[in-house]
Amino acid sequence: MTTEFAAHAADIEAIEQVVATVEHAQQHKDPDEFLALFHPDAVWTTGGGKVLIGLDAISEFTRKVLPAADWDGKVTYEVVHLFFIRPDVAAVKVRQLYVTPGDESEGAPLYVMSKQDDGRWLLTACQNTGVVGD
């Protein structure tokens, strides 16, 4: 395995781990775990279209809505496509599925992630989009 390939594989694994942590934070309604994944200057557009600019705005919104979320069930997040725009910037398409007794909803978030100087990948520009039936 070449060094370049190994580094690329490590980045893919790190990005998938960020998505897995988003899933865990959502499942457990844990705002601190979720917010630790964001770049300080991140932009987040909620599923309802609210645009949040910067970690302070994202934090205020998340601390209000995540712990109070009224769903009880299972949530899964799956990376379905990953494209490296540059070696330190990736576009990550995710399939998000919320399953509760008698109901299921799907989302199709897009996360643009950036690799920091310390090697961490952070959510930098994200759009959370719901999937509606045909």
Side-chain angles (χ1 to χ4, degrees):
M1 179 184 303
T2 67
T3 303
E4 183 178 327
F5 180 77
H8 191 68
D11 286 329
I12 291 170
E13 184 177 324
I15 289 167
E16 288 174 340
Q17 183 56 54
V18 169
V19 174
T21 303
V22 170
E23 175 183 301
H24 186 268
Q26 294 295 311
Q27 184 71 37
H28 294 91
K29 301 177 185 177
D30 185 339
D32 292 323
E33 183 178 38
F34 182 66
L35 293 166
L37 302 171
F38 283 88
H39 186 280
D41 298 317
V43 176
W44 180 269
T45 304
T46 70
K50 184 174 181 74
V51 178
L52 306 168
I53 299 174
L55 188 55
D56 288 344
I58 296 166
S59 179
E60 181 181 346
F61 177 83
T62 300
R63 291 184 187 288
K64 189 182 318 175
V65 301
L66 186 56
D70 62 358
W71 66 272
D72 287 308
K74 181 166 176 55
V75 60
T76 60
Y77 286 68
E78 173 190 6
V79 174
V80 294
H81 184 75
L82 194 155
F83 170 65
F84 285 95
I85 299 166
R86 298 184 338 201
D88 61 342
V89 178
V92 184
K93 194 63 181 170
V94 173
R95 180 174 187 251
Q96 170 192 71
L97 191 61
Y98 285 88
V99 180
T100 60
D103 190 29
E104 184 174 293
S105 63
E106 184 176 346
L110 175 64
Y111 301 156
V112 176
M113 299 173 69
S114 58
K115 187 175 184 179
Q116 307 307 292
D117 291 340
D118 64 5
R120 291 179 307 137
W121 283 89
L122 295 178
L123 300 169
T124 305
C126 305
Q127 172 79 40
N128 197 6
T129 305
V131 174
V132 293
D134 297 335

